[in-house]
Coordinates of all heavy atoms in Angstrom, one line a residue:
M25 N -25.2 -111.2 75.1 CA -25.2 -110.1 74.2 C -25.6 -108.8 74.9 O -26.4 -108.8 75.8 CB -26.2 -110.4 73.1 CG -26.3 -109.3 72.0 SD -27.2 -109.8 70.5 CE -28.9 -109.8 71.1
K26 N -25.1 -107.7 74.4 CA -25.4 -106.4 75.0 C -25.8 -105.4 73.9 O -25.2 -105.5 72.8 CB -24.1 -106.0 75.7 CG -24.1 -104.6 76.4 CD -22.7 -104.3 77.0 CE -22.6 -102.9 77.4 NZ -21.3 -102.5 77.9
T27 N -26.7 -104.6 74.2 CA -27.1 -103.6 73.2 C -26.9 -102.2 73.8 O -26.9 -102.0 75.0 CB -28.5 -103.7 72.7 OG1 -29.4 -103.6 73.9 CG2 -28.8 -105.0 72.0
E28 N -26.6 -101.3 72.9 CA -26.4 -99.9 73.3 C -27.0 -99.0 72.2 O -26.9 -99.3 71.0 CB -24.9 -99.7 73.3 CG -24.5 -98.5 74.2 CD -23.0 -98.5 74.4 OE1 -22.4 -99.3 75.2 OE2 -22.3 -97.7 73.7
K29 N -27.6 -97.9 72.6 CA -28.2 -96.9 71.7 C -27.1 -96.1 71.0 O -26.2 -95.6 71.6 CB -29.2 -96.0 72.4 CG -30.0 -95.1 71.5 CD -31.1 -94.5 72.2 CE -31.9 -93.5 71.4 NZ -32.3 -93.9 70.1
L30 N -27.2 -96.1 69.7 CA -26.3 -95.3 68.9 C -26.5 -93.8 69.1 O -27.6 -93.3 69.1 CB -26.4 -95.6 67.4 CG -25.9 -97.0 67.0 CD1 -26.3 -97.3 65.5 CD2 -24.4 -97.1 67.2
K31 N -25.4 -93.1 69.3 CA -25.5 -91.6 69.5 C -25.5 -90.8 68.2 O -25.9 -89.7 68.1 CB -24.5 -91.2 70.5 CG -24.6 -91.8 71.8 CD -23.5 -91.4 72.8 CE -23.7 -92.1 74.1 NZ -22.5 -92.7 74.6
T32 N -24.9 -91.4 67.2 CA -24.7 -90.7 65.9 C -26.1 -90.6 65.2 O -26.8 -91.6 65.1 CB -23.7 -91.5 65.0 OG1 -22.6 -91.8 65.8 CG2 -23.4 -90.7 63.8
E33 N -26.4 -89.4 64.7 CA -27.6 -89.2 64.0 C -27.6 -89.8 62.5 O -28.6 -90.3 62.1 CB -27.9 -87.7 63.9 CG -28.3 -87.2 65.3 CD -28.7 -85.7 65.2 OE1 -29.4 -85.4 64.3 OE2 -28.3 -85.0 66.1
I34 N -26.5 -89.6 61.8 CA -26.4 -90.0 60.4 C -25.1 -90.9 60.3 O -24.1 -90.5 60.8 CB -26.3 -88.8 59.5 CG1 -27.5 -87.9 59.6 CG2 -26.0 -89.2 58.1 CD1 -27.5 -86.6 58.8
Q35 N -25.3 -91.9 59.6 CA -24.2 -92.8 59.2 C -24.2 -93.1 57.8 O -25.2 -93.4 57.2 CB -24.3 -94.1 60.0 CG -24.3 -94.0 61.5 CD -24.4 -95.3 62.2 OE1 -24.4 -96.3 61.6 NE2 -24.4 -95.2 63.5
I36 N -23.0 -92.9 57.1 CA -23.0 -93.3 55.7 C -21.9 -94.3 55.5 O -20.8 -94.3 56.2 CB -22.8 -92.0 54.8 CG1 -21.4 -91.4 55.0 CG2 -23.9 -91.0 55.0 CD1 -21.1 -90.4 53.9
F37 N -22.1 -95.2 54.6 CA -21.2 -96.3 54.3 C -20.8 -96.2 52.8 O -21.6 -96.4 51.9 CB -21.9 -97.7 54.6 CG -22.3 -97.8 56.0 CD1 -23.5 -97.3 56.5 CD2 -21.5 -98.5 56.9 CE1 -23.8 -97.4 57.8 CE2 -21.8 -98.7 58.2 CZ -23.0 -98.1 58.7
I38 N -19.5 -95.9 52.6 CA -19.0 -95.7 51.3 C -18.3 -97.0 50.8 O -17.3 -97.4 51.4 CB -18.1 -94.5 51.2 CG1 -18.8 -93.3 51.7 CG2 -17.6 -94.3 49.8 CD1 -17.9 -92.0 51.9
C39 N -18.8 -97.6 49.7 CA -18.1 -98.8 49.2 C -16.7 -98.4 48.8 O -16.5 -97.5 48.0 CB -18.9 -99.3 48.1 SG -18.1 -100.7 47.3
N40 N -15.7 -99.2 49.2 CA -14.3 -99.1 48.8 C -13.8 -100.4 48.3 O -12.6 -100.6 48.2 CB -13.5 -98.7 50.0 CG -13.4 -97.2 50.3 OD1 -12.4 -96.6 50.3 ND2 -14.6 -96.6 50.5
H41 N -14.8 -101.2 47.9 CA -14.4 -102.6 47.4 C -13.6 -102.5 46.1 O -13.9 -101.8 45.2 CB -15.6 -103.4 47.2 CG -15.4 -104.8 47.0 ND1 -14.8 -105.7 48.0 CD2 -15.5 -105.6 45.9 CE1 -14.7 -106.9 47.5 NE2 -15.1 -106.9 46.2
K42 N -12.6 -103.4 46.1 CA -11.7 -103.5 44.9 C -12.0 -104.9 44.2 O -11.9 -105.9 44.9 CB -10.3 -103.4 45.3 CG -9.2 -103.7 44.3 CD -9.1 -102.6 43.3 CE -8.0 -102.9 42.3 NZ -8.2 -102.2 41.0
R43 N -12.3 -104.9 43.0 CA -12.5 -106.1 42.2 C -11.4 -106.1 41.2 O -11.1 -105.2 40.5 CB -13.8 -106.1 41.5 CG -15.0 -106.0 42.5 CD -16.3 -105.8 41.8 NE -16.8 -106.9 41.1 CZ -17.7 -107.8 41.7 NH1 -18.1 -107.5 42.9 NH2 -18.1 -108.8 41.0
D44 N -10.7 -107.3 41.1 CA -9.5 -107.3 40.2 C -9.8 -107.2 38.7 O -9.1 -106.6 38.0 CB -8.7 -108.6 40.5 CG -7.9 -108.5 41.8 OD1 -7.7 -107.3 42.2 OD2 -7.6 -109.5 42.4
H45 N -10.9 -107.9 38.3 CA -11.1 -107.9 36.9 C -12.5 -107.4 36.5 O -13.1 -107.8 35.5 CB -11.0 -109.3 36.3 CG -9.6 -109.9 36.6 ND1 -8.5 -109.4 36.0 CD2 -9.2 -110.8 37.5 CE1 -7.4 -110.0 36.5 NE2 -7.8 -110.9 37.4
D46 N -13.0 -106.5 37.3 CA -14.4 -106.0 37.1 C -14.5 -104.6 37.6 O -13.7 -104.1 38.3 CB -15.4 -106.9 37.8 CG -16.6 -107.2 36.9 OD1 -16.9 -106.4 36.0 OD2 -17.3 -108.2 37.1
E47 N -15.6 -103.9 37.2 CA -15.9 -102.6 37.6 C -16.0 -102.5 39.1 O -16.7 -103.4 39.7 CB -17.2 -102.1 36.9 CG -17.2 -100.6 36.7 CD -18.4 -100.2 35.8 OE1 -18.9 -101.1 35.1 OE2 -18.8 -99.1 35.9
C48 N -15.5 -101.5 39.7 CA -15.6 -101.4 41.2 C -15.5 -100.0 41.7 O -14.9 -99.1 41.0 CB -14.6 -102.3 41.9 SG -12.9 -101.7 41.6
C49 N -15.9 -99.7 42.9 CA -15.9 -98.4 43.5 C -14.5 -97.9 43.8 O -14.2 -96.8 43.7 CB -16.7 -98.4 44.8 SG -18.5 -98.7 44.4
A50 N -13.6 -98.9 44.1 CA -12.2 -98.5 44.5 C -11.5 -97.9 43.3 O -10.7 -96.9 43.4 CB -11.4 -99.7 44.9
D51 N -11.8 -98.3 42.0 CA -11.2 -97.8 40.8 C -11.8 -96.4 40.4 O -11.3 -95.8 39.5 CB -11.4 -98.8 39.7 CG -10.5 -100.0 39.9 OD1 -9.6 -99.9 40.7 OD2 -10.7 -101.0 39.1
K52 N -12.9 -96.0 41.1 CA -13.5 -94.8 40.7 C -13.3 -93.6 41.7 O -14.0 -92.6 41.7 CB -15.0 -95.0 40.6 CG -15.4 -96.0 39.5 CD -16.9 -96.3 39.5 CE -17.1 -97.4 38.4 NZ -18.5 -97.9 38.5
G53 N -12.3 -93.8 42.6 CA -11.9 -92.8 43.6 C -12.6 -92.8 44.9 O -12.7 -91.8 45.6
A54 N -13.1 -94.0 45.3 CA -13.8 -94.2 46.6 C -13.0 -93.8 47.8 O -13.4 -93.2 48.7 CB -14.4 -95.6 46.7
K55 N -11.7 -94.2 47.7 CA -10.8 -93.9 48.9 C -10.6 -92.4 49.1 O -10.7 -91.9 50.2 CB -9.5 -94.6 48.7 CG -8.6 -94.4 49.9 CD -7.2 -95.0 49.7 CE -6.3 -94.9 51.0 NZ -6.4 -93.7 51.7
E56 N -10.4 -91.7 48.0 CA -10.2 -90.3 48.1 C -11.4 -89.6 48.7 O -11.4 -88.8 49.6 CB -9.9 -89.7 46.7 CG -9.9 -88.2 46.6 CD -10.0 -87.8 45.1 OE1 -9.8 -88.6 44.2 OE2 -10.2 -86.6 44.9
L57 N -12.6 -90.0 48.2 CA -13.9 -89.4 48.7 C -14.1 -89.8 50.1 O -14.5 -88.9 50.9 CB -15.0 -89.9 47.8 CG -16.4 -89.5 48.2 CD1 -16.5 -87.9 48.1 CD2 -17.5 -90.2 47.4
T58 N -13.9 -91.0 50.5 CA -14.1 -91.5 51.9 C -13.2 -90.7 52.8 O -13.6 -90.2 53.9 CB -13.8 -93.0 52.0 OG1 -14.6 -93.7 51.0 CG2 -14.1 -93.5 53.4
D59 N -11.9 -90.6 52.5 CA -10.9 -89.9 53.4 C -11.4 -88.5 53.6 O -11.3 -88.0 54.7 CB -9.5 -90.0 52.7 CG -8.9 -91.4 52.8 OD1 -9.5 -92.2 53.5 OD2 -7.9 -91.6 52.1
K60 N -11.8 -87.8 52.5 CA -12.2 -86.4 52.7 C -13.4 -86.3 53.5 O -13.5 -85.4 54.4 CB -12.5 -85.8 51.3 CG -11.2 -85.4 50.5 CD -11.4 -85.1 49.1 CE -12.0 -83.7 48.9 NZ -12.1 -83.3 47.5
L61 N -14.4 -87.1 53.3 CA -15.7 -87.1 54.1 C -15.5 -87.5 55.5 O -16.0 -86.9 56.4 CB -16.8 -87.9 53.4 CG -17.4 -87.3 52.2 CD1 -18.3 -88.3 51.5 CD2 -18.2 -86.0 52.5
K62 N -14.6 -88.5 55.8 CA -14.3 -88.9 57.1 C -13.7 -87.7 57.9 O -14.0 -87.4 59.0 CB -13.4 -90.1 57.1 CG -14.0 -91.4 56.9 CD -13.0 -92.5 56.8 CE -12.7 -93.2 58.1 NZ -13.8 -94.0 58.7
K63 N -12.7 -87.1 57.3 CA -12.0 -86.0 57.9 C -13.0 -84.8 58.2 O -13.0 -84.3 59.3 CB -10.9 -85.5 57.0 CG -10.0 -84.4 57.5 CD -8.9 -84.1 56.5 CE -7.8 -83.2 57.0 NZ -8.2 -81.8 57.3
W64 N -13.8 -84.5 57.3 CA -14.8 -83.4 57.4 C -15.7 -83.7 58.6 O -16.0 -82.9 59.5 CB -15.5 -83.2 56.1 CG -16.8 -82.3 56.3 CD1 -16.8 -81.0 56.5 CD2 -18.1 -82.8 56.3 NE1 -18.1 -80.6 56.6 CE2 -18.9 -81.7 56.5 CE3 -18.7 -84.1 56.2 CZ2 -20.3 -81.8 56.6 CZ3 -20.1 -84.2 56.3 CH2 -20.9 -83.0 56.5
A65 N -16.3 -84.9 58.6 CA -17.3 -85.3 59.6 C -16.6 -85.3 61.0 O -17.3 -84.8 61.9 CB -17.8 -86.7 59.3
K66 N -15.4 -85.8 61.1 CA -14.7 -85.8 62.4 C -14.4 -84.4 62.9 O -14.6 -84.1 64.1 CB -13.4 -86.6 62.2 CG -12.8 -86.9 63.5 CD -11.6 -87.9 63.3 CE -10.9 -88.2 64.6 NZ -9.8 -89.1 64.5
E67 N -14.0 -83.5 62.0 CA -13.7 -82.2 62.4 C -14.9 -81.3 62.7 O -14.9 -80.4 63.6 CB -12.8 -81.5 61.3 CG -11.4 -82.1 61.3 CD -10.6 -81.5 60.1 OE1 -11.0 -80.7 59.3 OE2 -9.4 -82.0 60.0
E68 N -15.9 -81.4 61.9 CA -17.0 -80.5 62.0 C -18.3 -81.1 62.5 O -19.2 -80.3 62.9 CB -17.3 -79.9 60.6 CG -16.1 -79.0 60.1 CD -16.4 -78.3 58.8 OE1 -17.5 -77.9 58.6 OE2 -15.4 -78.1 58.1
H69 N -18.5 -82.4 62.5 CA -19.7 -83.0 63.0 C -19.5 -84.2 63.8 O -20.3 -85.2 63.7 CB -20.6 -83.3 61.8 CG -21.1 -82.1 61.0 ND1 -22.1 -81.3 61.5 CD2 -20.6 -81.5 59.9 CE1 -22.3 -80.3 60.7 NE2 -21.4 -80.3 59.7
K70 N -18.5 -84.2 64.7 CA -18.2 -85.3 65.5 C -19.4 -85.6 66.4 O -20.0 -84.7 67.0 CB -17.0 -85.0 66.4 CG -16.5 -86.2 67.1 CD -15.1 -85.9 67.7 CE -14.6 -87.2 68.4 NZ -13.3 -87.2 68.6
G71 N -19.8 -86.9 66.4 CA -21.0 -87.3 67.2 C -22.3 -87.1 66.4 O -23.3 -87.7 66.9
E72 N -22.3 -86.4 65.3 CA -23.5 -86.3 64.5 C -23.5 -87.1 63.2 O -24.5 -87.7 62.9 CB -23.7 -84.8 64.2 CG -23.9 -83.9 65.3 CD -24.0 -82.4 64.9 OE1 -23.2 -82.0 64.0 OE2 -24.9 -81.7 65.4
I73 N -22.4 -87.0 62.6 CA -22.3 -87.7 61.3 C -21.1 -88.7 61.4 O -20.0 -88.2 61.7 CB -22.1 -86.8 60.1 CG1 -23.3 -85.8 60.0 CG2 -21.8 -87.5 58.8 CD1 -23.1 -84.7 59.0
K74 N -21.3 -89.9 61.0 CA -20.1 -90.9 61.0 C -20.0 -91.5 59.6 O -21.0 -91.9 59.0 CB -20.4 -92.0 62.0 CG -19.3 -92.9 62.3 CD -18.4 -92.4 63.3 CE -17.3 -93.5 63.5 NZ -16.1 -93.0 64.0
V75 N -18.8 -91.5 59.1 CA -18.5 -92.0 57.7 C -17.7 -93.3 57.9 O -16.7 -93.3 58.5 CB -17.7 -90.9 56.9 CG1 -17.4 -91.5 55.5 CG2 -18.5 -89.6 56.8
Y76 N -18.2 -94.3 57.2 CA -17.5 -95.6 57.3 C -17.1 -96.1 55.9 O -17.8 -95.8 54.9 CB -18.5 -96.7 57.8 CG -18.9 -96.5 59.3 CD1 -20.1 -95.9 59.5 CD2 -18.1 -96.9 60.3 CE1 -20.6 -95.6 60.8 CE2 -18.5 -96.7 61.6 CZ -19.7 -96.0 61.9 OH -20.2 -95.8 63.2
R77 N -16.0 -96.7 55.8 CA -15.6 -97.4 54.6 C -16.3 -98.8 54.6 O -16.2 -99.5 55.6 CB -14.0 -97.6 54.7 CG -13.3 -97.9 53.5 CD -11.8 -98.0 53.8 NE -11.3 -96.9 54.6 CZ -10.9 -95.7 54.1 NH1 -11.0 -95.5 52.8 NH2 -10.5 -94.8 54.9
S78 N -16.9 -99.1 53.5 CA -17.6 -100.4 53.5 C -17.2 -101.3 52.4 O -16.4 -100.9 51.5 CB -19.2 -100.1 53.3 OG -19.5 -100.2 52.0
G79 N -17.6 -102.5 52.5 CA -17.4 -103.5 51.4 C -18.4 -103.3 50.3 O -19.2 -102.3 50.3
C80 N -18.5 -104.2 49.4 CA -19.4 -104.1 48.2 C -20.8 -104.0 48.7 O -21.3 -104.7 49.5 CB -19.2 -105.3 47.4 SG -20.2 -105.3 45.9
L81 N -21.5 -103.0 48.0 CA -22.9 -102.8 48.3 C -23.8 -103.4 47.2 O -25.0 -103.1 47.2 CB -23.2 -101.3 48.5 CG -22.5 -100.6 49.7 CD1 -22.7 -99.1 49.6 CD2 -23.0 -101.2 51.0
G82 N -23.2 -104.2 46.3 CA -24.0 -104.8 45.3 C -24.4 -104.0 44.1 O -25.3 -104.3 43.4
K83 N -23.7 -102.8 43.9 CA -24.1 -101.9 42.8 C -22.8 -101.5 42.1 O -22.6 -100.4 41.7 CB -24.7 -100.7 43.4 CG -26.1 -100.9 44.0 CD -27.1 -101.2 43.0 CE -28.5 -101.3 43.6 NZ -29.5 -101.6 42.6
C84 N -21.9 -102.5 41.9 CA -20.6 -102.2 41.3 C -20.6 -101.4 40.0 O -19.8 -100.5 39.9 CB -19.9 -103.6 41.1 SG -20.1 -104.7 42.5
S85 N -21.5 -101.7 39.1 CA -21.4 -101.0 37.8 C -22.0 -99.6 38.0 O -21.9 -98.8 37.1 CB -22.2 -101.8 36.8 OG -23.6 -101.9 37.1
E86 N -22.6 -99.3 39.1 CA -23.2 -98.0 39.3 C -22.5 -97.2 40.4 O -23.0 -96.2 41.0 CB -24.7 -98.1 39.7 CG -25.5 -98.8 38.6 CD -27.0 -99.0 39.1 OE1 -27.8 -98.0 39.0 OE2 -27.2 -100.1 39.7
G87 N -21.3 -97.7 40.8 CA -20.5 -97.0 41.9 C -19.9 -95.7 41.4 O -19.9 -95.4 40.2
I88 N -19.4 -95.0 42.3 CA -19.3 -95.3 43.7 C -20.7 -95.3 44.4 O -21.5 -94.4 44.1 CB -18.4 -94.1 44.4 CG1 -17.1 -94.0 43.7 CG2 -18.3 -94.3 45.9 CD1 -16.3 -92.8 44.1
A89 N -20.9 -96.3 45.2 CA -22.1 -96.5 45.9 C -22.0 -96.1 47.4 O -21.0 -96.4 48.0 CB -22.6 -97.9 45.8
I90 N -23.0 -95.3 47.9 CA -23.0 -94.9 49.3 C -24.4 -95.2 49.9 O -25.4 -94.8 49.4 CB -22.7 -93.4 49.4 CG1 -21.4 -93.0 48.7 CG2 -22.7 -92.9 50.9 CD1 -21.1 -91.5 48.8
A91 N -24.4 -95.9 51.0 CA -25.6 -96.2 51.7 C -25.7 -95.2 52.9 O -24.8 -95.0 53.6 CB -25.6 -97.6 52.3
C92 N -26.9 -94.6 53.0 CA -27.1 -93.5 54.0 C -28.2 -93.9 55.0 O -29.3 -94.3 54.5 CB -27.6 -92.2 53.3 SG -26.5 -91.6 52.0
Y93 N -27.9 -93.8 56.2 CA -28.9 -94.1 57.3 C -29.0 -92.9 58.2 O -28.0 -92.2 58.5 CB -28.4 -95.3 58.1 CG -28.4 -96.6 57.3 CD1 -27.3 -97.0 56.6 CD2 -29.6 -97.4 57.2 CE1 -27.3 -98.1 55.8 CE2 -29.6 -98.5 56.4 CZ -28.4 -98.9 55.7 OH -28.4 -100.0 55.0
P94 N -30.2 -92.6 58.8 CA -31.4 -93.4 58.8 C -32.3 -93.2 57.6 O -33.4 -93.8 57.5 CB -32.1 -92.9 60.0 CG -31.7 -91.5 60.1 CD -30.3 -91.4 59.6
E95 N -31.9 -92.5 56.6 CA -32.7 -92.2 55.4 C -33.0 -93.5 54.6 O -33.9 -93.5 53.8 CB -32.1 -91.2 54.5 CG -32.1 -89.8 55.0 CD -30.7 -89.5 55.6 OE1 -30.0 -90.4 56.0 OE2 -30.4 -88.3 55.7
K96 N -32.2 -94.5 54.7 CA -32.3 -95.7 53.9 C -32.2 -95.4 52.5 O -33.0 -95.8 51.6 CB -33.6 -96.5 54.2 CG -33.8 -97.0 55.6 CD -35.1 -97.7 55.7 CE -35.4 -98.1 57.1 NZ -36.7 -98.7 57.2
K97 N -31.2 -94.5 52.1 CA -31.0 -94.0 50.8 C -29.7 -94.6 50.2 O -28.7 -94.6 51.0 CB -31.1 -92.5 50.8 CG -31.1 -91.9 49.5 CD -31.5 -90.4 49.6 CE -30.6 -89.5 50.4 NZ -31.0 -88.1 50.4
L98 N -29.7 -94.9 48.9 CA -28.5 -95.4 48.3 C -28.1 -94.3 47.2 O -28.9 -94.0 46.4 CB -28.8 -96.7 47.6 CG -27.6 -97.6 47.3 CD1 -26.7 -97.9 48.5 CD2 -28.1 -99.0 46.8
L99 N -26.9 -93.7 47.4 CA -26.4 -92.8 46.4 C -25.6 -93.6 45.4 O -24.8 -94.4 45.8 CB -25.6 -91.7 47.0 CG -26.2 -90.9 48.1 CD1 -25.1 -89.9 48.7 CD2 -27.4 -90.2 47.7
L100 N -25.9 -93.4 44.1 CA -25.2 -94.2 43.1 C -24.5 -93.2 42.1 O -24.9 -92.1 41.9 CB -26.2 -95.1 42.4 CG -26.8 -96.2 43.3 CD1 -27.9 -96.9 42.5 CD2 -25.8 -97.2 43.8
E101 N -23.6 -93.8 41.3 CA -22.8 -93.0 40.3 C -22.2 -91.8 40.9 O -22.1 -90.7 40.3 CB -23.7 -92.7 39.1 CG -24.2 -94.0 38.5 CD -25.2 -93.7 37.3 OE1 -25.4 -92.5 37.0 OE2 -25.6 -94.7 36.7
V102 N -21.8 -91.9 42.2 CA -21.1 -90.8 42.9 C -19.7 -90.7 42.4 O -19.0 -91.7 42.1 CB -21.1 -91.0 44.4 CG1 -20.4 -89.9 45.1 CG2 -22.5 -91.2 44.9
E103 N -19.2 -89.5 42.2 CA -17.8 -89.2 41.8 C -17.2 -88.4 42.9 O -17.8 -87.7 43.6 CB -17.8 -88.4 40.5 CG -18.4 -89.2 39.4 CD -18.5 -88.4 38.1 OE1 -17.9 -87.3 38.0 OE2 -19.1 -89.0 37.1
P104 N -15.8 -88.5 43.0 CA -15.1 -87.7 44.1 C -15.5 -86.3 44.0 O -15.5 -85.6 45.0 CB -13.7 -88.0 43.8 CG -13.7 -89.3 43.1 CD -14.9 -89.4 42.3
E105 N -15.8 -85.8 42.8 CA -16.1 -84.3 42.7 C -17.4 -84.0 43.3 O -17.7 -82.8 43.4 CB -16.1 -84.0 41.2 CG -14.8 -84.1 40.4 CD -14.5 -85.6 40.1 OE1 -15.4 -86.4 40.0 OE2 -13.3 -85.9 40.2
D106 N -18.2 -85.0 43.7 CA -19.5 -84.7 44.3 C -19.4 -84.4 45.8 O -20.4 -84.3 46.5 CB -20.5 -85.9 44.1 CG -20.8 -86.1 42.7 OD1 -20.9 -85.2 41.9 OD2 -21.0 -87.3 42.3
Y107 N -18.2 -84.3 46.3 CA -17.9 -84.1 47.7 C -18.7 -83.0 48.3 O -19.3 -83.2 49.4 CB -16.4 -83.9 47.8 CG -15.9 -83.4 49.1 CD1 -15.9 -84.2 50.3 CD2 -15.4 -82.1 49.3 CE1 -15.4 -83.7 51.5 CE2 -14.9 -81.6 50.5 CZ -14.9 -82.4 51.6 OH -14.5 -82.0 52.8
K108 N -18.7 -81.8 47.7 CA -19.4 -80.7 48.3 C -20.9 -80.9 48.3 O -21.5 -80.5 49.3 CB -19.0 -79.4 47.5 CG -17.6 -78.9 47.8 CD -17.4 -77.6 47.1 CE -16.0 -77.2 47.4 NZ -15.5 -76.1 46.6
E109 N -21.4 -81.5 47.3 CA -22.9 -81.8 47.2 C -23.3 -82.8 48.3 O -24.3 -82.6 49.0 CB -23.2 -82.3 45.8 CG -24.7 -82.4 45.6 CD -24.9 -82.9 44.2 OE1 -24.1 -82.7 43.3 OE2 -26.0 -83.4 44.0
I110 N -22.4 -83.8 48.6 CA -22.7 -84.8 49.6 C -22.7 -84.1 51.0 O -23.6 -84.3 51.8 CB -21.7 -85.9 49.5 CG1 -22.0 -86.7 48.2 CG2 -21.9 -86.9 50.7 CD1 -20.9 -87.7 47.9
K111 N -21.7 -83.3 51.2 CA -21.5 -82.6 52.5 C -22.8 -81.7 52.7 O -23.3 -81.8 53.8 CB -20.3 -81.6 52.4 CG -19.1 -82.2 52.9 CD -17.9 -81.3 53.1 CE -18.0 -79.9 52.6 NZ -16.8 -79.1 52.8
Q112 N -23.2 -81.0 51.7 CA -24.4 -80.1 51.9 C -25.6 -81.0 52.2 O -26.4 -80.6 53.1 CB -24.6 -79.3 50.6 CG -25.7 -78.3 50.7 CD -25.4 -77.3 51.8 OE1 -24.2 -76.9 52.0 NE2 -26.4 -76.8 52.5
G113 N -25.8 -82.1 51.5 CA -27.0 -83.0 51.8 C -26.9 -83.5 53.2 O -28.0 -83.6 53.8
L114 N -25.8 -83.9 53.7 CA -25.7 -84.4 55.0 C -26.0 -83.3 56.1 O -26.7 -83.6 57.0 CB -24.3 -85.0 55.3 CG -23.9 -86.3 54.5 CD1 -22.5 -86.6 54.6 CD2 -24.8 -87.4 55.0
K115 N -25.5 -82.1 55.8 CA -25.7 -81.0 56.8 C -27.2 -80.7 56.8 O -27.8 -80.5 57.9 CB -25.0 -79.8 56.3 CG -23.5 -79.8 56.7 CD -22.8 -78.5 56.7 CE -22.7 -77.9 55.4 NZ -21.7 -76.7 55.4
E116 N -27.9 -80.7 55.7 CA -29.3 -80.5 55.6 C -30.1 -81.6 56.3 O -31.2 -81.3 56.8 CB -29.8 -80.3 54.2 CG -29.3 -79.0 53.6 CD -29.5 -78.9 52.1 OE1 -30.2 -79.7 51.5 OE2 -29.0 -77.9 51.5
A117 N -29.6 -82.8 56.3 CA -30.3 -83.9 56.9 C -30.2 -83.9 58.5 O -31.0 -84.6 59.1 CB -29.8 -85.2 56.4
L118 N -29.3 -83.1 59.0 CA -29.2 -83.0 60.5 C -30.4 -82.4 61.1 O -31.0 -81.5 60.6 CB -27.9 -82.3 60.9 CG -26.6 -83.1 60.7 CD1 -25.4 -82.2 61.0 CD2 -26.6 -84.3 61.7
Ligands
LIG223 S1 -17.6 -102.6 44.3 FE1 -18.8 -100.9 45.1 S2 -20.8 -101.7 45.1 FE2 -19.7 -103.4 44.5

């Protein structure tokens, strides 16, 4: 096994899980939000903020769910329209 220190200061994991017969983040616009945040982070904060598409975070009825590190914070009931507010929060956390 090999370990390496992560260079990224902030990592967020956005649930994109799809459930066929139940409430899920995918049905609430998670892909749209993830794509926009990934593009923004790559263009404006490469090496500082990394955005990942994740599987279920166990908060399906309260999605879209986003796990934020190193803050150890879970954002719930996020909507794609919250994009600007999330960007602002991430910038302030740097
Ligand atoms: S489907 Fe997103 S938290 Fe479960």
Side-chain angles (χ1 to χ4, degrees):
M25 183 168 73
K26 178 180 167 184
T27 60
E28 201 170 285
K29 187 165 173 52
L30 291 171
K31 295 176 184 136
T32 311
E33 290 184 41
I34 295 174
Q35 299 181 1
I36 67 168
F37 298 82
I38 305 174
C39 173
N40 275 239
H41 189 69
K42 170 79 178 155
R43 300 166 78 90
D44 286 337
H45 304 291
D46 223 336
E47 209 171 336
C48 65
C49 297
D51 288 346
K52 297 174 185 172
K55 182 183 183 318
E56 172 194 348
L57 179 63
T58 306
D59 290 347
K60 284 169 76 173
L61 284 171
K62 278 175 92 70
K63 184 175 187 298
W64 166 76
K66 191 173 181 180
E67 288 175 358
E68 297 186 32
H69 293 282
K70 193 171 181 157
E72 295 177 317
I73 299 172
K74 186 86 177 158
V75 178
Y76 298 97
R77 195 177 314 279
S78 92
C80 181
L81 296 172
K83 293 287 186 180
C84 316
S85 64
E86 299 174 87
I88 301 169
I90 303 177
C92 306
Y93 294 91
E95 292 98 334
K96 297 183 186 172
K97 189 163 59 178
L98 201 52
L99 304 179
L100 298 170
E101 300 179 0
V102 177
E103 297 177 7
E105 298 74 32
D106 296 328
Y107 168 70
K108 286 184 180 166
E109 192 178 333
I110 293 168
K111 270 192 344 183
Q112 188 59 37
L114 291 169
K115 282 199 289 193
E116 288 172 7
L118 283 173

